[in-house]
Each structure stands twice: as structure tokens, then as C-alpha cells.
Amino acid sequence: MTDIHKSVQNYYGQELQQSSDLKTDACCSKAEIPLFIKDILKKIHPDVIAKYYGCGLIFPPKLEGCRVLDLGCGAGRDVYILSNLVGHQGYVVGVDMTKEQLDIANRFIDYHTKEFDFQTPNVEFHLGKIEQLTDNPNLKVNSFDVVVSNCVVNLSPDKKKVLQQVYEMLKPGGEFYFSDVYADRSVPEELRQNQILWGECLSGAIRESDLISDALDIGFTRPILVTQQPICINNQQLQDLLGDIKFTSCTYRLFKNKSIEDPIISDNKNGTLVTYQTPIIHYENEFQFDQSIIFKDQPQYVNDELTKMLRISRYNDNFKFESVTHENEIPKSTKQVSNCCCRQGTC
Ligand SMILES: C[S@@+](CC[C@H](N)C(=O)[O-])C[C@H]1O[C@@H](n2cnc3c(N)ncnc32)[C@H](O)[C@@H]1O
């Protein structure tokens, strides 16, 4: 166990008792919550809600029946929301290294099973480090459709190792969908040594350029930025230490690549027309794939990289794909969308 792990364990196990004990607003989400999630939140036990320290919403569409793994699940708020979203046919596993957090999560398994009207629980929690998932006897490689995480990767001293472990856990084509804290530049070493700033999810903030290069190295598709919000520190003393480093809370999606023989992609020299044809529950009118790409029931022209992401993913069945072999086949009314990920100007 590294000093960082010990200090983070102490911060989330002893120092903080509830969300309002945080010294900054970095790990507390201001993201707008959709109505259907608000309805589920009403069923979550208040003791679990009180210990929520997330910085975004980690609920991608089409979760019904999925096996989901939540990294750094804490007291379990998101695991229980996901439990409801995957339904009784799905399953959610939470992993966290802090016993005090998991004690709360475990205490309310029966409560939520009853609240959601399930015969048996569809969640379990395990103590462990997210850098060592493959060593955890409770977890099987290639067994999860979706891996999520809320404000945790920044706290790891070895973020590339975490990404590698996520890759191992996902089925081919599976999605890693996570919210975390990002910095627009490297955080100086003396600030990285500050345990409060680390525990508050600031000193270990991720660089977007590192995420992209690590992900591509490991074999993920290019990370897609889904949402981004500025973080206000709201603590003058800590703000003075941090100077003008800008922090944002971002949600990214990336897929575990798989090779497919696909006429849609290989025959295709000029992109693809993609139509959101079979709507997903709660996303009846549109599917927001990234910050600027919103799929609707009208054909949109997309590049091969993005087409492949959709084709290998569980979203494939919800779209109609039409290869474009000549530029003049592109209807004038369609908007060209690409998947540029460089929102913060760092890559
Ligand atoms: C900011 S809290 C977020 C908790 C939870 N995701 C939520 O939204 O409430 C960070 C959590 O990650 C856990 N954690 C941090 N680093 C970890 C690691 N390397 N391995 C496992 N858990 C870790 C901490 O114990 C803590 O519960």
C-alpha cells in the first residue's frame, strides 16, 4: 500500500463523515440530474446519500440487463442507482479500498432490494484496490458490459494501471464511462504532496492528454468527452495554494476495442450515415454521444472511427448504418460530425 493509498483511505474512512465535510466543491456534482434518476434517488437510503462524494453522473444509456462494475464505489449511492437501472436481470459490483465506506454500502443491501421490489439482491461490494482488480478473487476478467467510476481515478497514484485493469475487466466492446477531475496543466510536486488537496480530488487531477495517450496505448477506442463543467474551489486558502490552475469535472466514454469484419466500415471510403432508429428507454428523442454529437432519427454523417465505436458497442442495434461510397451520396441536409476530443486544448 502506497502512502497515497493510506492517506486517501484515512481521508474517506476517518476524516470525512458526510458530503458537507468536503473543503471544496471539487468532488460534489453540480450536474443536472434527469427526472428518472431523481425518481430513483428518492428510494436511496439517506445514510447512503449523505456519504456521496461524486463529481458527475455515471449512468450511460441502455443499462438494462448489464453487468456493471463501479470503481471506488464508496458508500454505494451510484451502485444502488445502477442496481435499479440494470434491473433484476442485471448485476452491479462495487469495489472500494476503504472499509468504513463499504460498511455503509453493505448495511443497506436488503433495504434497497426491498425498495426496488427484487426477490434477491443484484449488487455486491468488495474491498480492494482499483489498481489490482485482476488479483481480486471476486472479479472475473472479460465479464463486465460496463465499468463506471465517479471521482476516483484522480485519487490513484497509478492511473494508467487503473485503465489497464478496466480493460481487463470489460468484455470486448464494453464501455468505460467515468466522471473525474481534470486539470489544464501539471500540478506542481509540492501541491501533489499536500494530503488535503489530494484527498479533495485536486492534486491528482487527470490531464486529458494523458488519458488519451494511455487509453490508446492500452487498446481502448479514443476517449469521447460527454460532459464538462468548470469546478469552483470555493475555499480561499486552498485556492491561493492552487493559483491559476483550472479544474474541470469531465465525463468520458471509451470502449474496449475489438476487431470486427464489418462491411459498413471496410467498404466505406467516405464515412457513414448514422440514424438513431430504435430509441432507448429514457432517451426516446435523442442520444447524446458526446458534447456536440447528438443522434436523432435523422441521418447524420460520421467518420469511420466513430462508426466503429458504435458498431462494436451495445448501442449497435439502436442505429441504422449506411455506407457512403461516393461523396455525392451524402444528403445536403446532413450535418457532418467528427469526434474531436480536444476540448481543453491539451492534445
Ligand atoms: C471521492 S470518493 C467517491 C466515492 C463514490 N464514487 C461516490 O461517488 O460517492 C473516492 C472513493 O474512492 C475510493 N478510492 C480511492 N482510491 C482508491 C483505490 N486506489 N482503490 C480503491 N478505492 C479507492 C475511496 O476509498 C473513496 O471511497
Side-chain angles (χ1 to χ4, degrees):
M1 164 137 347
T2 66
D3 287 349
I4 289 182
H5 286 115
K6 281 187 206 146
S7 145
V8 169
Q9 247 179 0
N10 182 58
Y11 207 67
Y12 286 94
Q14 309 289 331
E15 195 85 12
L16 303 178
Q17 293 308 315
Q18 51 191 1
S19 320
S20 56
D21 295 337
L22 286 162
K23 294 177 177 54
T24 73
D25 290 346
C27 25
C28 248
S29 170
K30 300 276 177 301
E32 200 178 318
I33 303 177
L35 212 58
F36 72 96
I37 301 288
K38 281 187 182 156
D39 286 341
I40 303 173
L41 270 169
K42 287 180 196 151
K43 299 185 172 181
I44 308 291
H45 196 282
D47 290 6
V48 169
I49 303 261
K51 281 184 170 284
Y52 170 65
Y53 305 116
C55 58
L57 292 177
I58 52 162
F59 315 113
K62 207 178 181 184
L63 287 172
E64 207 176 331
C66 284
R67 275 182 57 79
V68 182
L69 173 65
D70 182 3
L71 305 182
C73 60
R77 187 199 86 149
D78 290 341
V79 168
Y80 287 121
I81 294 174
L82 290 159
S83 153
N84 185 290
L85 293 171
V86 300
H88 68 281
Q89 306 270 41
Y91 208 82
V92 189
V93 180
V95 171
D96 201 289
M97 67 173 180
T98 306
K99 183 179 173 304
E100 292 84 344
Q101 292 272 74
L102 286 192
D103 285 347
I104 301 286
N106 273 312
R107 195 173 300 159
F108 295 103
I109 292 183
D110 286 346
Y111 174 91
H112 292 100
T113 306
K114 284 198 192 98
E115 278 294 306
F116 300 155
D117 256 339
F118 297 155
Q119 299 293 314
T120 50
N122 69 346
V123 301
E124 60 191 44
F125 295 97
H126 297 293
L127 197 64
K129 293 210 195 66
I130 59 173
E131 297 86 354
Q132 296 169 1
L133 300 172
T134 46
D135 298 338
N136 194 319
N138 301 297
L139 303 173
K140 258 181 52 198
V141 297
N142 289 324
S143 72
F144 290 96
D145 302 289
V146 179
V147 176
V148 296
S149 181
N150 200 344
C151 219
V152 180
V153 179
N154 74 84
L155 293 167
S156 171
D158 191 347
K159 300 170 196 351
K160 187 166 184 181
K161 187 75 199 282
V162 175
L163 271 185
Q164 259 159 353
Q165 294 287 290
V166 172
Y167 187 87
E168 295 297 329
M169 289 294 127
L170 281 171
K171 297 176 186 171
E175 181 174 19
F176 181 33
Y177 190 92
F178 76 114
S179 299
D180 227 298
V181 178
Y182 288 76
D184 69 342
R185 66 200 76 173
S186 296
V187 177
E189 192 50 38
E190 70 269 20
L191 296 182
R192 291 170 63 84
Q193 299 298 331
N194 182 317
Q195 294 187 11
I196 292 181
L197 285 178
W198 192 283
E200 291 281 324
C201 300
L202 293 166
S203 292
I206 307 169
R207 299 288 312 278
E208 182 196 44
S209 50
D210 290 342
L211 170 72
I212 293 165
S213 61
D214 289 350
L216 294 176
D217 251 18
I218 290 167
F220 283 102
T221 58
R222 185 175 297 280
I224 293 286
L225 179 61
V226 186
T227 61
Q228 180 179 31
Q229 286 182 315
I231 287 174
C232 302
I233 306 298
N234 286 340
N235 177 318
Q236 197 55 51
Q237 210 181 350
L238 297 181
Q239 180 69 75
D240 290 346
L241 284 174
L242 292 164
D244 53 6
I245 304 174
K246 289 195 177 47
F247 295 94
T248 45
S249 161
C250 299
T251 302
Y252 277 91
R253 57 160 40 109
L254 41 161
F255 299 92
K256 176 169 173 170
N257 238 325
K258 79 174 178 196
S259 51
I260 45 168
E261 294 219 351
D262 188 351
I264 292 289
I265 299 169
S266 57
D267 285 349
N268 179 0
K269 301 282 174 286
N270 287 284
T272 309
L273 288 174
V274 173
T275 310
Y276 182 42
Q277 189 172 252
T278 312
I280 298 165
I281 183 161
H282 302 309
Y283 301 86
E284 280 77 10
N285 297 326
E286 56 183 43
F287 179 137
Q288 172 145 17
F289 193 72
D290 90 349
Q291 266 204 324
S292 56
I293 304 175
I294 299 175
F295 290 114
K296 299 188 182 183
D297 63 355
Q298 295 297 314
Q300 285 198 63
Y301 179 65
V302 303
N303 66 22
D304 284 354
E305 190 182 33
L306 201 143
T307 304
K308 183 165 183 209
M309 291 180 203
L310 292 173
R311 295 290 284 169
I312 63 172
S313 76
R314 67 187 186 289
Y315 304 122
N316 178 43
D317 299 343
N318 299 90
F319 288 89
K320 181 169 126 198
F321 299 90
E322 294 163 281
S323 285
V324 175
T325 39
H326 299 291
E327 249 179 67
N328 56 11
E329 288 174 21
I330 305 168
K332 287 210 170 54
S333 57
T334 60
K335 201 175 88 192
Q336 171 152 7
V337 291
S338 68
N339 53 322
C340 176
C341 53
C342 310
R343 311 290 181 213
Q344 300 174 45
T346 50
C347 58

